[in-house]
Amino acid sequence: MANQHTKRIDAKPATETKKGTYLTKDNWEVMKPFVHFAFKSIVVIGSVMFAIVKMIPKALEHKPEERKSGKIIKI
């Protein structure tokens, strides 16, 4: 009996998928623009926060309130 191998146009050949490899080249190529944008935005936010904190004036030395007089009145 002859083997019948019919090929379908829409059928793709079976390929083995590697399980356990989370970061593949395809995933990296898709995510690279997002990672690049996230890194640049974190750098911008950090530099803005640094500039804001640097612009805040320094606090003057804390001086305790002076009393009107050093006398204690006992009643």
Side-chain angles (χ1 to χ4, degrees):
M1 189 177 257
N3 291 335
Q4 293 181 348
H5 295 288
T6 56
K7 294 186 178 180
R8 296 184 183 225
I9 295 174
D10 61 342
K12 295 181 182 178
T15 57
E16 293 182 23
T17 57
K18 295 180 181 178
K19 293 183 180 180
T21 58
Y22 177 72
L23 187 63
T24 60
K25 187 174 181 180
D26 295 334
N27 290 342
W28 175 245
E29 292 298 322
V30 171
M31 295 303 294
K32 188 175 181 179
F34 298 108
V35 173
H36 187 70
F37 174 75
F39 180 73
K40 285 208 171 204
S41 63
I42 288 173
V43 169
V44 168
I45 291 172
S47 62
V48 167
M49 293 295 285
F50 181 75
I52 289 172
V53 169
K54 193 156 182 122
M55 288 187 335
I56 296 174
K58 292 182 180 178
L60 301 174
E61 291 182 20
H62 180 68
K63 296 180 182 176
E65 291 184 20
E66 295 180 15
R67 292 188 174 181
K68 293 183 181 178
S69 64
K71 297 179 185 176
I72 299 175
I73 302 174
K74 293 184 180 180
I75 300 179

